[in-house]
PDB file of all heavy atoms in Angstrom:
ATOM      1  N   ARG A 766     162.487 212.849  95.899  1.00 72.00           N
ATOM      2  CA  ARG A 766     163.743 212.351  96.470  1.00 72.00           C
ATOM      3  C   ARG A 766     164.661 211.819  95.381  1.00 72.00           C
ATOM      4  O   ARG A 766     165.883 212.018  95.419  1.00 72.00           O
ATOM      5  CB  ARG A 766     163.430 211.258  97.489  1.00 72.00           C
ATOM      6  CG  ARG A 766     162.986 211.808  98.856  1.00 72.00           C
ATOM      7  CD  ARG A 766     163.063 210.724  99.897  1.00 72.00           C
ATOM      8  NE  ARG A 766     162.155 209.612  99.600  1.00 72.00           N
ATOM      9  CZ  ARG A 766     160.886 209.568 100.001  1.00 72.00           C
ATOM     10  NH1 ARG A 766     160.392 210.541 100.724  1.00 72.00           N
ATOM     11  NH2 ARG A 766     160.126 208.529  99.688  1.00 72.00           N
ATOM     12  N   ARG A 767     164.096 211.157  94.385  1.00 74.00           N
ATOM     13  CA  ARG A 767     164.918 210.637  93.295  1.00 74.00           C
ATOM     14  C   ARG A 767     165.582 211.765  92.507  1.00 74.00           C
ATOM     15  O   ARG A 767     166.748 211.682  92.134  1.00 74.00           O
ATOM     16  CB  ARG A 767     164.042 209.775  92.364  1.00 74.00           C
ATOM     17  CG  ARG A 767     163.715 208.391  92.936  1.00 74.00           C
ATOM     18  CD  ARG A 767     163.194 207.486  91.836  1.00 74.00           C
ATOM     19  NE  ARG A 767     161.952 208.000  91.271  1.00 74.00           N
ATOM     20  CZ  ARG A 767     160.748 207.706  91.749  1.00 74.00           C
ATOM     21  NH1 ARG A 767     160.603 206.926  92.803  1.00 74.00           N
ATOM     22  NH2 ARG A 767     159.674 208.204  91.171  1.00 74.00           N
ATOM     23  N   LYS A 768     164.840 212.850  92.311  1.00 73.00           N
ATOM     24  CA  LYS A 768     165.407 213.999  91.564  1.00 73.00           C
ATOM     25  C   LYS A 768     166.562 214.620  92.342  1.00 73.00           C
ATOM     26  O   LYS A 768     167.602 214.962  91.799  1.00 73.00           O
ATOM     27  CB  LYS A 768     164.321 215.034  91.289  1.00 73.00           C
ATOM     28  CG  LYS A 768     163.326 214.581  90.232  1.00 73.00           C
ATOM     29  CD  LYS A 768     162.308 215.679  89.977  1.00 73.00           C
ATOM     30  CE  LYS A 768     161.303 215.248  88.895  1.00 73.00           C
ATOM     31  NZ  LYS A 768     160.294 216.301  88.632  1.00 73.00           N
ATOM     32  N   ARG A 769     166.366 214.811  93.672  1.00 76.00           N
ATOM     33  CA  ARG A 769     167.433 215.399  94.474  1.00 76.00           C
ATOM     34  C   ARG A 769     168.667 214.514  94.486  1.00 76.00           C
ATOM     35  O   ARG A 769     169.802 214.979  94.402  1.00 76.00           O
ATOM     36  CB  ARG A 769     166.926 215.628  95.904  1.00 76.00           C
ATOM     37  CG  ARG A 769     165.998 216.829  96.034  1.00 76.00           C
ATOM     38  CD  ARG A 769     165.914 217.283  97.481  1.00 76.00           C
ATOM     39  NE  ARG A 769     165.392 216.230  98.331  1.00 76.00           N
ATOM     40  CZ  ARG A 769     164.088 216.048  98.567  1.00 76.00           C
ATOM     41  NH1 ARG A 769     163.190 216.843  98.009  1.00 76.00           N
ATOM     42  NH2 ARG A 769     163.681 215.080  99.381  1.00 76.00           N
ATOM     43  N   THR A 770     168.448 213.236  94.570  1.00 78.00           N
ATOM     44  CA  THR A 770     169.584 212.300  94.571  1.00 78.00           C
ATOM     45  C   THR A 770     170.337 212.376  93.252  1.00 78.00           C
ATOM     46  O   THR A 770     171.586 212.405  93.209  1.00 78.00           O
ATOM     47  CB  THR A 770     169.089 210.872  94.827  1.00 78.00           C
ATOM     48  OG1 THR A 770     168.379 210.847  96.065  1.00 78.00           O
ATOM     49  CG2 THR A 770     170.251 209.900  94.881  1.00 78.00           C
ATOM     50  N   PHE A 771     169.584 212.446  92.153  1.00 74.00           N
ATOM     51  CA  PHE A 771     170.222 212.527  90.835  1.00 74.00           C
ATOM     52  C   PHE A 771     171.030 213.824  90.697  1.00 74.00           C
ATOM     53  O   PHE A 771     172.140 213.827  90.167  1.00 74.00           O
ATOM     54  CB  PHE A 771     169.131 212.449  89.762  1.00 74.00           C
ATOM     55  CG  PHE A 771     169.675 212.605  88.360  1.00 74.00           C
ATOM     56  CD1 PHE A 771     170.341 211.546  87.734  1.00 74.00           C
ATOM     57  CD2 PHE A 771     169.542 213.818  87.683  1.00 74.00           C
ATOM     58  CE1 PHE A 771     170.840 211.711  86.455  1.00 74.00           C
ATOM     59  CE2 PHE A 771     170.050 213.962  86.418  1.00 74.00           C
ATOM     60  CZ  PHE A 771     170.703 212.905  85.786  1.00 74.00           C
ATOM     61  N   LEU A 772     170.458 214.932  91.219  1.00 77.00           N
ATOM     62  CA  LEU A 772     171.154 216.218  91.123  1.00 77.00           C
ATOM     63  C   LEU A 772     172.448 216.217  91.935  1.00 77.00           C
ATOM     64  O   LEU A 772     173.481 216.710  91.498  1.00 77.00           O
ATOM     65  CB  LEU A 772     170.218 217.332  91.615  1.00 77.00           C
ATOM     66  CG  LEU A 772     170.793 218.763  91.575  1.00 77.00           C
ATOM     67  CD1 LEU A 772     171.152 219.140  90.143  1.00 77.00           C
ATOM     68  CD2 LEU A 772     169.780 219.748  92.145  1.00 77.00           C
ATOM     69  N   ILE A 773     172.388 215.630  93.124  1.00 80.00           N
ATOM     70  CA  ILE A 773     173.590 215.586  93.969  1.00 80.00           C
ATOM     71  C   ILE A 773     174.670 214.759  93.308  1.00 80.00           C
ATOM     72  O   ILE A 773     175.854 215.121  93.272  1.00 80.00           O
ATOM     73  CB  ILE A 773     173.230 215.022  95.354  1.00 80.00           C
ATOM     74  CG1 ILE A 773     172.350 216.037  96.112  1.00 80.00           C
ATOM     75  CG2 ILE A 773     174.491 214.715  96.161  1.00 80.00           C
ATOM     76  CD1 ILE A 773     171.789 215.481  97.402  1.00 80.00           C
ATOM     77  N   VAL A 774     174.258 213.617  92.730  1.00 74.00           N
ATOM     78  CA  VAL A 774     175.248 212.748  92.049  1.00 74.00           C
ATOM     79  C   VAL A 774     175.853 213.477  90.863  1.00 74.00           C
ATOM     80  O   VAL A 774     177.070 213.415  90.620  1.00 74.00           O
ATOM     81  CB  VAL A 774     174.564 211.435  91.620  1.00 74.00           C
ATOM     82  CG1 VAL A 774     175.505 210.613  90.739  1.00 74.00           C
ATOM     83  CG2 VAL A 774     174.159 210.619  92.841  1.00 74.00           C
ATOM     84  N   ALA A 775     175.036 214.227  90.113  1.00 76.00           N
ATOM     85  CA  ALA A 775     175.555 214.953  88.944  1.00 76.00           C
ATOM     86  C   ALA A 775     176.562 216.020  89.362  1.00 76.00           C
ATOM     87  O   ALA A 775     177.626 216.191  88.738  1.00 76.00           O
ATOM     88  CB  ALA A 775     174.397 215.587  88.178  1.00 76.00           C
ATOM     89  N   LEU A 776     176.248 216.732  90.448  1.00 79.00           N
ATOM     90  CA  LEU A 776     177.170 217.768  90.919  1.00 79.00           C
ATOM     91  C   LEU A 776     178.490 217.169  91.393  1.00 79.00           C
ATOM     92  O   LEU A 776     179.565 217.716  91.143  1.00 79.00           O
ATOM     93  CB  LEU A 776     176.528 218.578  92.050  1.00 79.00           C
ATOM     94  CG  LEU A 776     175.346 219.466  91.658  1.00 79.00           C
ATOM     95  CD1 LEU A 776     174.724 220.096  92.907  1.00 79.00           C
ATOM     96  CD2 LEU A 776     175.801 220.543  90.689  1.00 79.00           C
ATOM     97  N   VAL A 777     178.416 216.050  92.064  1.00 75.00           N
ATOM     98  CA  VAL A 777     179.648 215.382  92.522  1.00 75.00           C
ATOM     99  C   VAL A 777     180.500 214.955  91.337  1.00 75.00           C
ATOM    100  O   VAL A 777     181.727 215.122  91.317  1.00 75.00           O
ATOM    101  CB  VAL A 777     179.302 214.193  93.434  1.00 75.00           C
ATOM    102  CG1 VAL A 777     180.556 213.360  93.716  1.00 75.00           C
ATOM    103  CG2 VAL A 777     178.696 214.681  94.735  1.00 75.00           C
ATOM    104  N   LEU A 778     179.852 214.415  90.296  1.00 76.00           N
ATOM    105  CA  LEU A 778     180.601 213.984  89.115  1.00 76.00           C
ATOM    106  C   LEU A 778     181.266 215.172  88.405  1.00 76.00           C
ATOM    107  O   LEU A 778     182.403 215.076  87.943  1.00 76.00           O
ATOM    108  CB  LEU A 778     179.645 213.253  88.155  1.00 76.00           C
ATOM    109  CG  LEU A 778     179.128 211.887  88.652  1.00 76.00           C
ATOM    110  CD1 LEU A 778     178.124 211.298  87.669  1.00 76.00           C
ATOM    111  CD2 LEU A 778     180.295 210.900  88.853  1.00 76.00           C
ATOM    112  N   ILE A 779     180.520 216.286  88.327  1.00 81.00           N
ATOM    113  CA  ILE A 779     181.096 217.480  87.678  1.00 81.00           C
ATOM    114  C   ILE A 779     182.306 217.980  88.458  1.00 81.00           C
ATOM    115  O   ILE A 779     183.339 218.343  87.895  1.00 81.00           O
ATOM    116  CB  ILE A 779     180.029 218.576  87.553  1.00 81.00           C
ATOM    117  CG1 ILE A 779     178.954 218.156  86.535  1.00 81.00           C
ATOM    118  CG2 ILE A 779     180.662 219.902  87.119  1.00 81.00           C
ATOM    119  CD1 ILE A 779     177.779 219.091  86.469  1.00 81.00           C
ATOM    120  N   ALA A 780     182.197 218.000  89.803  1.00 76.00           N
ATOM    121  CA  ALA A 780     183.315 218.450  90.629  1.00 76.00           C
ATOM    122  C   ALA A 780     184.532 217.553  90.455  1.00 76.00           C
ATOM    123  O   ALA A 780     185.666 218.018  90.360  1.00 76.00           O
ATOM    124  CB  ALA A 780     182.890 218.497  92.097  1.00 76.00           C
ATOM    125  N   LEU A 781     184.297 216.253  90.400  1.00 76.00           N
ATOM    126  CA  LEU A 781     185.418 215.321  90.184  1.00 76.00           C
ATOM    127  C   LEU A 781     186.061 215.537  88.826  1.00 76.00           C
ATOM    128  O   LEU A 781     187.291 215.482  88.674  1.00 76.00           O
ATOM    129  CB  LEU A 781     184.911 213.881  90.328  1.00 76.00           C
ATOM    130  CG  LEU A 781     184.498 213.441  91.743  1.00 76.00           C
ATOM    131  CD1 LEU A 781     183.890 212.039  91.715  1.00 76.00           C
ATOM    132  CD2 LEU A 781     185.698 213.478  92.670  1.00 76.00           C
ATOM    133  N   ALA A 782     185.225 215.808  87.811  1.00 73.00           N
ATOM    134  CA  ALA A 782     185.779 216.042  86.473  1.00 73.00           C
ATOM    135  C   ALA A 782     186.629 217.305  86.439  1.00 73.00           C
ATOM    136  O   ALA A 782     187.710 217.332  85.843  1.00 73.00           O
ATOM    137  CB  ALA A 782     184.634 216.136  85.459  1.00 73.00           C
ATOM    138  N   LEU A 783     186.149 218.378  87.096  1.00 74.00           N
ATOM    139  CA  LEU A 783     186.930 219.611  87.135  1.00 74.00           C
ATOM    140  C   LEU A 783     188.229 219.427  87.885  1.00 74.00           C
ATOM    141  O   LEU A 783     189.288 219.936  87.480  1.00 74.00           O
ATOM    142  CB  LEU A 783     186.099 220.726  87.793  1.00 74.00           C
ATOM    143  CG  LEU A 783     184.891 221.224  86.995  1.00 74.00           C
ATOM    144  CD1 LEU A 783     184.088 222.221  87.824  1.00 74.00           C
ATOM    145  CD2 LEU A 783     185.349 221.870  85.692  1.00 74.00           C
ATOM    146  N   ALA A 784     188.188 218.704  89.004  1.00 72.00           N
ATOM    147  CA  ALA A 784     189.408 218.455  89.763  1.00 72.00           C
ATOM    148  C   ALA A 784     190.416 217.662  88.943  1.00 72.00           C
ATOM    149  O   ALA A 784     191.622 217.948  88.949  1.00 72.00           O
ATOM    150  CB  ALA A 784     189.069 217.713  91.060  1.00 72.00           C
ATOM    151  N   ALA A 785     189.916 216.698  88.204  1.00 69.00           N
ATOM    152  CA  ALA A 785     190.823 215.902  87.372  1.00 69.00           C
ATOM    153  C   ALA A 785     191.430 216.747  86.260  1.00 69.00           C
ATOM    154  O   ALA A 785     192.628 216.639  85.940  1.00 69.00           O
ATOM    155  CB  ALA A 785     190.057 214.705  86.787  1.00 69.00           C
ATOM    156  N   THR A 786     190.617 217.627  85.666  1.00 68.00           N
ATOM    157  CA  THR A 786     191.134 218.494  84.593  1.00 68.00           C
ATOM    158  C   THR A 786     192.190 219.450  85.126  1.00 68.00           C
ATOM    159  O   THR A 786     193.233 219.669  84.493  1.00 68.00           O
ATOM    160  CB  THR A 786     189.974 219.291  83.977  1.00 68.00           C
ATOM    161  OG1 THR A 786     188.987 218.376  83.504  1.00 68.00           O
ATOM    162  CG2 THR A 786     190.462 220.148  82.824  1.00 68.00           C
ATOM    163  N   TYR A 787     191.930 220.063  86.286  1.00 65.00           N
ATOM    164  CA  TYR A 787     192.907 220.990  86.891  1.00 65.00           C
ATOM    165  C   TYR A 787     194.225 220.281  87.210  1.00 65.00           C
ATOM    166  O   TYR A 787     195.305 220.792  86.949  1.00 65.00           O
ATOM    167  CB  TYR A 787     192.310 221.601  88.157  1.00 65.00           C
ATOM    168  CG  TYR A 787     193.277 222.490  88.914  1.00 65.00           C
ATOM    169  CD1 TYR A 787     193.572 223.767  88.457  1.00 65.00           C
ATOM    170  CD2 TYR A 787     193.900 222.021  90.063  1.00 65.00           C
ATOM    171  CE1 TYR A 787     194.462 224.575  89.144  1.00 65.00           C
ATOM    172  CE2 TYR A 787     194.804 222.812  90.746  1.00 65.00           C
ATOM    173  CZ  TYR A 787     195.077 224.102  90.284  1.00 65.00           C
ATOM    174  OH  TYR A 787     195.966 224.886  90.959  1.00 65.00           O
ATOM    175  N   TYR A 788     194.107 219.074  87.755  1.00 63.00           N
ATOM    176  CA  TYR A 788     195.325 218.320  88.088  1.00 63.00           C
ATOM    177  C   TYR A 788     196.132 217.999  86.830  1.00 63.00           C
ATOM    178  O   TYR A 788     197.357 218.162  86.788  1.00 63.00           O
ATOM    179  CB  TYR A 788     194.947 217.040  88.828  1.00 63.00           C
ATOM    180  CG  TYR A 788     196.131 216.141  89.100  1.00 63.00           C
ATOM    181  CD1 TYR A 788     197.007 216.443  90.142  1.00 63.00           C
ATOM    182  CD2 TYR A 788     196.368 215.014  88.310  1.00 63.00           C
ATOM    183  CE1 TYR A 788     198.104 215.628  90.399  1.00 63.00           C
ATOM    184  CE2 TYR A 788     197.466 214.215  88.559  1.00 63.00           C
ATOM    185  CZ  TYR A 788     198.333 214.504  89.603  1.00 63.00           C
ATOM    186  OH  TYR A 788     199.413 213.714  89.844  1.00 63.00           O
ATOM    187  N   ALA A 789     195.423 217.580  85.779  1.00 58.00           N
ATOM    188  CA  ALA A 789     196.118 217.246  84.539  1.00 58.00           C
ATOM    189  C   ALA A 789     196.786 218.471  83.929  1.00 58.00           C
ATOM    190  O   ALA A 789     197.916 218.407  83.429  1.00 58.00           O
ATOM    191  CB  ALA A 789     195.125 216.621  83.544  1.00 58.00           C
ATOM    192  N   PHE A 790     196.089 219.644  84.006  1.00 54.00           N
ATOM    193  CA  PHE A 790     196.656 220.869  83.415  1.00 54.00           C
ATOM    194  C   PHE A 790     197.911 221.326  84.161  1.00 54.00           C
ATOM    195  O   PHE A 790     198.928 221.628  83.558  1.00 54.00           O
ATOM    196  CB  PHE A 790     195.587 221.971  83.437  1.00 54.00           C
ATOM    197  CG  PHE A 790     196.085 223.297  82.950  1.00 54.00           C
ATOM    198  CD1 PHE A 790     196.276 223.543  81.592  1.00 54.00           C
ATOM    199  CD2 PHE A 790     196.375 224.301  83.857  1.00 54.00           C
ATOM    200  CE1 PHE A 790     196.742 224.760  81.170  1.00 54.00           C
ATOM    201  CE2 PHE A 790     196.854 225.508  83.430  1.00 54.00           C
ATOM    202  CZ  PHE A 790     197.031 225.751  82.075  1.00 54.00           C
ATOM    203  N   THR A 791     197.802 221.401  85.484  1.00 56.00           N
ATOM    204  CA  THR A 791     198.966 221.850  86.270  1.00 56.00           C
ATOM    205  C   THR A 791     200.125 220.879  86.168  1.00 56.00           C
ATOM    206  O   THR A 791     201.283 221.281  86.108  1.00 56.00           O
ATOM    207  CB  THR A 791     198.562 222.034  87.730  1.00 56.00           C
ATOM    208  OG1 THR A 791     197.998 220.800  88.230  1.00 56.00           O
ATOM    209  CG2 THR A 791     197.537 223.146  87.881  1.00 56.00           C
ATOM    210  N   HIS A 792     199.877 219.645  86.115  1.00 53.00           N
ATOM    211  CA  HIS A 792     200.947 218.657  85.986  1.00 53.00           C
ATOM    212  C   HIS A 792     201.651 218.775  84.646  1.00 53.00           C
ATOM    213  O   HIS A 792     202.878 218.747  84.548  1.00 53.00           O
ATOM    214  CB  HIS A 792     200.365 217.255  86.171  1.00 53.00           C
ATOM    215  CG  HIS A 792     201.413 216.170  86.065  1.00 53.00           C
ATOM    216  ND1 HIS A 792     202.345 215.955  87.061  1.00 53.00           N
ATOM    217  CD2 HIS A 792     201.673 215.262  85.080  1.00 53.00           C
ATOM    218  CE1 HIS A 792     203.144 214.967  86.710  1.00 53.00           C
ATOM    219  NE2 HIS A 792     202.751 214.533  85.499  1.00 53.00           N
ATOM    220  N   SER A 793     200.817 219.018  83.595  1.00 48.00           N
ATOM    221  CA  SER A 793     201.403 219.169  82.264  1.00 48.00           C
ATOM    222  C   SER A 793     202.239 220.437  82.172  1.00 48.00           C
ATOM    223  O   SER A 793     203.322 220.464  81.598  1.00 48.00           O
ATOM    224  CB  SER A 793     200.290 219.188  81.214  1.00 48.00           C
ATOM    225  OG  SER A 793     200.813 219.462  79.941  1.00 48.00           O
ATOM    226  N   LYS A 794     201.750 221.573  82.780  1.00 48.00           N
ATOM    227  CA  LYS A 794     202.485 222.842  82.737  1.00 48.00           C
ATOM    228  C   LYS A 794     203.800 222.731  83.489  1.00 48.00           C
ATOM    229  O   LYS A 794     204.837 223.232  83.060  1.00 48.00           O
ATOM    230  CB  LYS A 794     201.626 223.951  83.350  1.00 48.00           C
ATOM    231  CG  LYS A 794     202.254 225.308  83.309  1.00 48.00           C
ATOM    232  CD  LYS A 794     201.332 226.347  83.885  1.00 48.00           C
ATOM    233  CE  LYS A 794     201.985 227.714  83.865  1.00 48.00           C
ATOM    234  NZ  LYS A 794     201.101 228.750  84.455  1.00 48.00           N
ATOM    235  N   GLY A 795     203.781 222.086  84.660  1.00 49.00           N
ATOM    236  CA  GLY A 795     205.012 221.925  85.432  1.00 49.00           C
ATOM    237  C   GLY A 795     206.037 221.112  84.680  1.00 49.00           C
ATOM    238  O   GLY A 795     207.228 221.408  84.700  1.00 49.00           O
ATOM    239  N   ALA A 796     205.571 220.103  83.997  1.00 46.00           N
ATOM    240  CA  ALA A 796     206.511 219.269  83.229  1.00 46.00           C
ATOM    241  C   ALA A 796     207.103 220.053  82.080  1.00 46.00           C
ATOM    242  O   ALA A 796     208.309 219.995  81.802  1.00 46.00           O
ATOM    243  CB  ALA A 796     205.786 218.020  82.715  1.00 46.00           C
ATOM    244  N   THR A 797     206.247 220.871  81.388  1.00 47.00           N
ATOM    245  CA  THR A 797     206.750 221.661  80.259  1.00 47.00           C
ATOM    246  C   THR A 797     207.749 222.699  80.730  1.00 47.00           C
ATOM    247  O   THR A 797     208.782 222.936  80.107  1.00 47.00           O
ATOM    248  CB  THR A 797     205.576 222.346  79.539  1.00 47.00           C
ATOM    249  OG1 THR A 797     204.634 221.349  79.149  1.00 47.00           O
ATOM    250  CG2 THR A 797     206.070 223.119  78.342  1.00 47.00           C
ATOM    251  N   GLY A 798     207.444 223.396  81.874  1.00 49.00           N
ATOM    252  CA  GLY A 798     208.359 224.400  82.425  1.00 49.00           C
ATOM    253  C   GLY A 798     209.679 223.783  82.819  1.00 49.00           C
ATOM    254  O   GLY A 798     210.745 224.371  82.639  1.00 49.00           O
ATOM    255  N   ALA A 799     209.650 222.608  83.398  1.00 44.00           N
ATOM    256  CA  ALA A 799     210.896 221.951  83.794  1.00 44.00           C
ATOM    257  C   ALA A 799     211.734 221.591  82.594  1.00 44.00           C
ATOM    258  O   ALA A 799     212.969 221.628  82.637  1.00 44.00           O
ATOM    259  CB  ALA A 799     210.566 220.699  84.615  1.00 44.00           C
TER     260      ALA A 799
END
């Protein structure tokens, strides 16, 4: 159970990191285009 919990937490953190990176990239591109 501890291993599964750790894996789920790791996947959630990775997803949050990717979402943050995508948001930062698109925001930066829109600002540069403008």
Side-chain angles (χ1 to χ4, degrees):
R766 280 196 297 272
R767 284 196 298 271
K768 288 182 179 180
R769 284 199 300 271
T770 303
F771 177 77
L772 180 61
I773 291 172
V774 172
L776 292 174
V777 170
L778 291 176
I779 291 173
L781 291 174
L783 291 174
T786 303
Y787 176 76
Y788 175 78
F790 176 76
T791 56
H792 181 73
S793 174
K794 182 178 179 181
T797 304

